[in-house]
Amino acid sequence: KAADLDPGAPRGLRNLALLYFALGEDRSFVETIGQTASRWPDDPTVHCVLAVADLERGDAAGVLQHAQRLVEADSRNHSARRCGLFLLRDADLRDGRYDRALERYRKFYPDLFLPASPRIDGRNYLVAVEVVPVLQALGRTDEAHALLDGIERAIRTIPRLGDEGYGPTDLQIHALSGKKTKALAALQRELPLGQSHLAFRDRAPCRLELRLHQAHRRADPRTIETSEDL
């Protein structure tokens, strides 16, 4: 209905595709996002979802192509860029290109790499979470811990629930810190909210991290995203 009411914008069809994805109706998901892409071929948020469609089909080259377009998108579209960085990061982790992944994040988020201490707030804490496994893979544990400490401080000023909430970020902090007991406790608090809350925790167009992580779990075995992992 939303897509019919606003046929000139991609949001309605894109969100319908996301709903199909969340419900596991993969055929409808692929068909709907295909229609969206044919009408708005240059929209960065559509490319984020197209990357996931390629991931579902096992088209690694397609995923990387869309991810690169997202990274090169308008700098004002932070959420689309974050989606591209996330996808490229997973490919780099999988193939052992840790330095490349780190330099890409350093280019777009220099505040996370300040010499004295990283500057982390409500605008970049989710990106900081995604940088931690790269630092850990490089053996740069002190820098990883500094990011985790900064993320923990940042989320104290943010509500847990809602579009602006930090969701299960505390679970990720504990998991990446190797604190499995605390991660389990955090997961128990999240489970009554439903798995959709765990998966779609932020307002970015790439609200598909759970499935992306599941697809690339071997690239980053230290991260705990699901109850099955725990």
Side-chain angles (χ1 to χ4, degrees), residues 128-143:
V129 171
E130 292 155 9
V131 173
V132 170
V134 182
L135 291 170
Q136 291 176 333
L138 287 165
R140 298 166 66 162
T141 54
D142 290 344
E143 293 171 74

Side-chain angles (χ1 to χ4, degrees), residues 21 29 39 48 53 55 57 59 63 74 90 94 99-100 105 110 131 133 139 145 148 154 157 168 176 208-209 215 219:
F21 186 87
F29 162 65
R39 294 177 62 182
C48 182
L55 190 62
R57 291 192 290 261
D59 182 359
V63 172
D74 189 326
D90 271 12
R94 188 171 60 250
D99 286 312
R100 180 186 297 184
Y105 277 109
V131 173
H145 287 149
L148 289 168
T157 65
L176 289 165
L208 307 160
E209 296 175 18

Side-chain angles (χ1 to χ4, degrees), residues 1 16 19 46 62 72 80 84-85 93 100 105 107 117-118 127 139-140 142 160 165-166 198 205 215:
K1 184 179 290 186
L16 179 61
L19 286 172
V46 173
E72 296 168 356
L85 287 170
L93 284 173
R100 180 186 297 184
Y105 277 109
K107 175 182 177 181
S117 63
V127 178
R140 298 166 66 162
D142 290 344
R160 175 184 292 274
Y166 66 81
L198 286 169

